[in-house]
Amino acid sequence: MLILSIETSCDETAVSLIEAHGDFPQAKYDILGNALWSQIDVHREYGGVFPMLAKREHVATIVPMLEKALTESGLEGRENDRIISELIKQELQTILYREPELIDSLFAFHKKYGSYDIDLIAVTSGPGLEPALWVGVNFARALALLWNVPIVPVNHMEGHVLSSVFDIERDDMLSDIAFPTISLLISGGHTELILMKNWGQYEKIGQTRDDAVGEAYDKVARMLGLQYPGGPEIAKRAEKARKEKFPKFADFPTPMLNSGDLDFSFSGLKTAVRYAVQEKTLSEIDVAAIARDFEDAVTTVLLKKSITAMEKHGAETLIVGGGVSANQHLRRMFEAAFLTALPHTTVYFPQPRLSTDNSIMIALAGHARAASALAPRGSDVIRADGNKSLS
Ligand code: KG4
Ligand code: ZN
């Protein structure tokens, strides 16, 4: 099955073409084409992602990303299918009326390449920034109609879960995991613990009551004068502080560590950093030490809650996913803890290129949901949903 996947939930415009051989979850996957455009440079000067700016960038880059992914795959369009009927033109204009610039670029693309023989189009419909999500959703609907291909809406968080178990060594199939499983999803917008009793069955058992972990990283980075996105910037400084053994800057709190439930809270930690730095001129050593102390507090909480969740639900597998799972310290601490304290368990982290947002994970989730694909003309029920939940 040839799957074209589209991801525009935040500040990455990504399109992939993946071939799935077999049924989910035993299929083998070939990544035929993969294109990703990061808007980080555009948002950096504002210190965060602005939804309308993200939308504009997605509109400008989605067709070039489609072209790149398809060209890389070597797949060719149908030569004798480059003319669009008046009826289809009108329908496409209706679908894309909120992104009118896309109409011309899509028509030009079709004139150049014709239709593609794809079996399924998978698109992120949430959660994320709604104006950004709509670009992907409407573009995917337009393509589905133009090429007459079924379309399936995908939950971005399911994509993060599946990208974490995409076999790290073989890179071509999902790992054979033991259920029940706990997923710790940590990204710019989410911090949640999910119980999975089987593939596709999700039950939220814990979540943040305020800021998401990635959000806390980004906000603390800002307080330290570091640029957006804050995660990698803080991680870099924290590593230096560990390597060079800089003295502790502050005893930051580990919120809700012993609350007995599986919820999180990071705004108190963020505020503690704010108090610790206010009216101080920070040296580079101070910044690095704060980054490390903050990161240590975050890691302690995430690790303890994950272990509690596993014990409570008899799970022997932990899946860590979302942008913050790119954090090397977090990964080392989890791997060490699981090796010593929980030797019969397995912890999965995504490959580095699959930690942050990408469209390979959307193709995997699309494949998992292929049975609920919609016909192109029934796709108007697909809505971008910024708060779409996994369970
Ligand atoms: O999953 P993701 O790419 O986008 C969302 O769905 O939100 O996650 C982005 C978040 C940002 O907050 C970013 O600062 C954080 O992931 N992040 C990291 C690292 N790389 C990205 N946080 C900690 N350490 C990192 N190495
Ligand atoms: Zn994400």
Side-chain angles (χ1 to χ4, degrees):
M1 173 182 267
L2 267 184
I3 306 169
L4 183 92
S5 56
I6 296 173
E7 155 65 38
T8 65
S9 68
C10 190
D11 57 355
E12 258 92 31
T13 317
V15 180
S16 306
L17 185 67
I18 292 203
E19 184 158 21
H21 305 273
D23 293 331
F24 183 90
Q26 281 88 22
K28 282 170 72 73
Y29 297 94
D30 280 331
I31 301 166
L32 304 179
N34 185 38
L36 184 144
W37 174 257
S38 170
Q39 308 173 0
I40 280 174
D41 288 340
V42 178
H43 297 287
R44 189 166 274 146
E45 60 178 297
Y46 304 98
V49 181
F50 272 78
M52 292 316 284
L53 198 56
K55 172 184 166 153
R56 196 190 72 190
E57 290 294 306
H58 287 308
V59 167
T61 49
I62 199 160
V63 173
M65 288 305 105
L66 174 71
E67 186 167 20
K68 184 161 182 271
L70 287 171
T71 307
E72 194 178 299
S73 75
L75 194 72
E76 289 186 4
R78 282 200 297 266
E79 288 238 357
N80 56 359
D81 186 14
R82 295 184 182 187
I83 295 170
I84 310 177
S85 74
E86 276 313 308
L87 176 68
I88 298 279
K89 259 189 192 162
Q90 278 172 20
E91 287 183 73
L92 291 174
Q93 276 157 349
T94 308
I95 292 172
L96 294 172
Y97 85 97
R98 284 190 290 190
E99 297 83 19
E101 307 90 327
L102 271 182
I103 296 171
D104 289 342
S105 35
L106 183 59
F107 286 2
F109 181 86
H110 192 73
K111 200 169 168 192
K112 189 168 169 192
Y113 296 103
S115 290
Y116 281 81
D117 279 322
I118 308 274
D119 300 302
L120 181 68
I121 294 177
V123 62
T124 307
S125 62
L129 306 169
E130 276 187 15
L133 286 164
W134 273 116
V135 178
V137 165
N138 289 336
F139 185 67
R141 290 182 54 219
L143 269 188
L145 181 69
L146 189 58
W147 296 348
N148 193 27
V149 173
I151 172 170
V152 67
V154 161
N155 186 307
H156 180 86
M157 303 315 284
E158 181 163 44
H160 276 305
V161 172
L162 296 181
S163 71
S164 298
V165 290
F166 193 48
D167 197 301
I168 190 138
E169 260 105 49
R170 300 179 42 178
D171 196 12
D172 66 354
M173 61 190 294
L174 300 174
S175 302
D176 196 9
I177 61 175
F179 292 101
T181 279
I182 300 293
S183 286
L184 171 69
L185 298 179
I186 39 180
S187 68
H190 290 79
T191 301
E192 22 188 70
L193 281 161
I194 306 279
L195 171 66
M196 273 175 82
K197 290 196 176 141
N198 208 333
W199 294 108
Q201 290 177 17
Y202 303 100
E203 187 189 329
K204 199 185 290 175
I205 52 172
Q207 63 188 316
T208 182
R209 296 190 180 168
D210 38 62
D211 292 353
V213 195
E215 190 181 354
Y217 263 95
D218 295 337
K219 287 178 177 167
V220 166
R222 219 158 141 179
M223 293 174 206
L224 299 176
L226 306 175
Q227 51 183 4
Y228 176 85
E233 296 297 319
I234 289 200
K236 217 183 328 174
R237 269 100 187 153
E239 289 293 298
K240 189 174 160 73
R242 277 183 205 105
K243 199 164 149 231
E244 303 193 12
K245 299 194 170 51
F246 292 159
K248 183 178 268 220
F249 188 91
D251 261 321
F252 291 132
T254 44
M256 296 183 72
L257 187 67
N258 298 310
S259 61
D261 60 14
L262 297 173
D263 282 349
F264 303 89
S265 162
F266 291 102
S267 80
L269 173 58
K270 177 190 69 186
T271 309
V273 177
R274 178 168 292 126
Y275 284 139
V277 305
Q278 74 187 2
E279 288 164 26
K280 289 203 179 87
T281 311
L282 301 172
S283 68
E284 272 183 34
I285 291 179
D286 295 336
V287 169
I290 296 165
R292 177 204 53 205
D293 298 346
F294 164 78
E295 200 167 84
D296 285 349
V298 166
T299 308
T300 302
V301 175
L302 294 177
L303 184 56
K304 165 118 192 252
K305 296 272 170 168
S306 301
I307 291 175
T308 308
M310 290 175 76
E311 286 170 349
K312 213 165 171 172
H313 294 276
E316 295 188 346
T317 310
L318 178 71
I319 298 173
V320 187
V324 183
S325 70
N327 189 277
Q328 290 303 310
H329 176 67
L330 182 99
R331 190 174 183 138
R332 279 196 308 268
M333 295 304 284
F334 270 63
E335 284 173 350
F338 277 72
L339 213 62
T340 51
L342 301 159
H344 304 297
T345 57
T346 315
V347 57
Y348 292 93
F349 275 85
Q351 303 168 31
R353 68 173 178 151
L354 298 183
S355 299
T356 46
D357 291 349
N358 64 85
S359 47
I360 293 172
M361 70 185 202
I362 302 309
L364 296 174
H367 190 225
R369 302 281 166 184
S372 45
L374 299 156
R377 280 202 173 74
S379 71
D380 49 346
V381 295
I382 304 177
R383 323 227 16 110
D385 176 0
N387 298 316
K388 189 171 175 159
S389 171
L390 252 189
S391 56

